[in-house]
Amino acid sequence: MIDGVCDAAFTEVRDVFAEHLRTGQDQGAAVAVSVDGRLVVDLWGGTADERSGRVWQRDTACVTFSATKAVTAAALLLLAERGRLAVGDRVVDHWPGFGAHGKDAITIEHLLTHQAGLPAFDRPIGLQEAADPDAMAAQLAGQRPEWEPGTAHGYHALTFGWLVGEVVRRVSGRPVREFVAQELGADLELGVPPERVPQLARIAAGRPLRAPDRPADERTVARLVAATADPDSPLQRSTANPGGSFNKPALLTAGWPAAGLVCTARALADFYRRLGDGSLLPRGAVKEATRERVRGPDRTLVLESAFGLGFMRPAAGMWLPPAARATAFGHPGASGALGLGDLEAGVAFGFVPNLTHPALGDRRAYRLVEATYAALG
């Protein structure tokens, strides 16, 4: 069921990964771990496409949902490091048409920390429109914020990518997908060519899982469940528009910059390795980017969330084992995917599955991270 390599000190990671596949918690998946720049875990297994029975192979890539956001944020941070912008700049300094309806004071930091007040689109967006950066920029520039920017934070589940990506496009002169491929790595694909779609792992829906713990009290969990069932809740409005299956070629080729990253677990872990060793951004810049800016009840997610500049910090919105909570940063995705880095521990981690589960019960990435830190001694 499993192929790849695993350092002897990290056999618990392999055991957990194997258990998830054996018990059906995973259908197909890959996990990769780098410690102090050395790849110690690179495993894959299971089924990439349940319809055909195609197996997961070494280079099987899969869409990673919101794990994408860290890559899009890093593109903007790289431009900042090059002196092309500053995170304290107003968005209108680089995107003049953005300032309508009282948005002229919104800063780039507000975009990166989910404080801009634009968590959802104010009208239905179709897949064809979502593939057009000009149309998405015009739509967001013309919207009115849902709260006074900078006074609260609420997860911008899909709008984040088109907001941050438009700044990247205007400053660099390149679409964000092109900038990422050229500057961050060709193995981090914000959209794939049509001929690649049949080679990708196919997303499938899994059953609810029972978690040994919950990241919130029962009243908050009840509010989250209610928000999930309410099509007019901020949670549903932010995550379901534009809508569409993440197996659709129209979505996978468009490369939504908040949720459309396609990559292997190895590539995701390597992205965090390069953040950690200073080869992508200086370590000082990474420390500043991952410094917590906001924490508290999330106006979209309901649960507590915490953010640096585009990166999540451990909280209910990114529930991590105790050993990782003080120093880890990264971003999860709705499939259960997780990209994670830790400058202090020297850890870079990537987990990419194709079977989705309701978030509160999903501890696949949690257990793999737990096993990783246990192996560090």
Side-chain angles (χ1 to χ4, degrees):
M1 293 179 66
I2 295 177
D3 205 346
V5 295
C6 181
D7 185 282
F10 290 82
T11 54
E12 186 178 347
V13 177
R14 180 186 177 96
D15 292 344
V16 170
F17 185 64
E19 177 192 338
H20 291 167
L21 284 167
R22 186 178 63 253
T23 59
Q25 295 179 58
D26 274 320
Q27 176 179 281
V31 60
V33 181
S34 174
V35 177
D36 294 331
R38 185 171 68 91
L39 189 64
V40 295
V41 176
D42 184 15
L43 299 171
W44 59 90
T47 304
D49 186 339
E50 63 178 345
R51 301 171 308 169
S52 65
R54 175 166 52 92
V55 299
W56 198 293
Q57 300 177 336
R58 181 182 187 276
D59 292 322
T60 296
C62 186
V63 66
T64 62
F65 295 80
S66 284
T68 306
K69 291 182 176 67
V71 173
T72 298
L76 191 149
L77 294 170
L78 184 57
L79 288 170
E81 184 58 29
R82 293 173 177 173
R84 302 289 302 279
L85 56 85
V87 297
D89 291 349
R90 297 181 307 159
V91 176
V92 292
D93 295 337
H94 305 283
W95 179 359
F98 181 75
H101 303 300
K103 300 197 301 295
D104 54 296
I106 293 177
T107 67
I108 291 172
E109 182 172 351
H110 289 149
L111 301 186
L112 290 168
T113 54
H114 300 259
Q115 296 186 84
L118 298 165
F121 293 104
D122 62 6
R123 64 172 179 82
I125 303 293
L127 288 181
Q128 184 175 353
E129 187 175 6
D132 182 350
D134 289 320
M136 301 306 279
Q139 169 63 32
L140 288 166
Q143 282 196 203
R144 188 181 305 275
E146 295 189 17
W147 63 80
E148 182 181 347
T151 63
H153 75 281
Y155 191 51
H156 289 45
L158 295 174
T159 58
F160 177 97
W162 286 294
L163 290 165
V164 174
E166 183 63 14
V167 175
V168 171
R169 185 170 75 128
R170 288 176 177 263
V171 173
S172 71
R174 288 174 277 175
V176 64
R177 64 186 295 170
E178 183 178 316
F179 186 90
V180 166
Q182 294 175 352
E183 305 285 354
L184 275 64
D187 55 359
L188 300 170
E189 298 179 274
L190 285 178
V192 299
E195 62 272 18
R196 284 258 291 125
V197 172
Q199 303 168 10
L200 305 180
R202 182 177 176 82
I203 298 298
R207 65 185 189 280
L209 301 175
R210 290 185 61 84
D213 61 344
R214 289 191 174 194
D217 60 81
E218 292 304 314
R219 180 177 297 179
T220 301
V221 170
R223 289 179 56 225
L224 176 61
V225 171
T228 302
D230 179 3
D232 295 321
S233 71
L235 176 63
Q236 285 297 92
R237 289 189 298 106
S238 69
T239 57
N241 179 31
S245 165
F246 275 75
N247 293 315
K248 283 184 176 292
L251 196 159
L252 293 167
T253 57
W256 295 357
L261 174 70
V262 172
C263 67
T264 64
R266 188 184 317 106
L268 189 56
D270 190 64
F271 165 71
Y272 282 92
R273 177 193 65 79
R274 289 181 288 135
L275 286 174
D277 69 13
S279 60
L280 189 57
L281 288 166
R283 281 176 60 89
V286 176
K287 285 185 177 181
E288 180 63 14
T290 58
R291 178 174 61 83
E292 186 177 298
R293 301 304 209 282
V294 295
R295 175 180 290 272
D298 189 296
R299 291 184 64 142
T300 302
L301 295 177
V302 179
L303 300 171
E304 178 192 60
S305 65
F307 293 96
L309 297 177
F311 297 97
M312 272 192 171
R313 294 304 310 272
M318 184 174 74
W319 193 239
L320 295 178
R325 289 177 193 167
T327 52
F329 63 92
H331 216 291
S335 62
L338 176 66
L340 179 143
D342 189 329
L343 299 184
E344 301 301 320
V347 169
F349 173 95
F351 172 59
V352 177
N354 68 347
L355 189 63
T356 68
H357 299 285
L360 278 183
D362 188 357
R363 289 292 182 274
R364 291 171 296 170
Y366 181 104
R367 294 190 66 214
L368 290 165
V369 171
E370 185 176 50
T372 295
Y373 277 78
L376 299 177

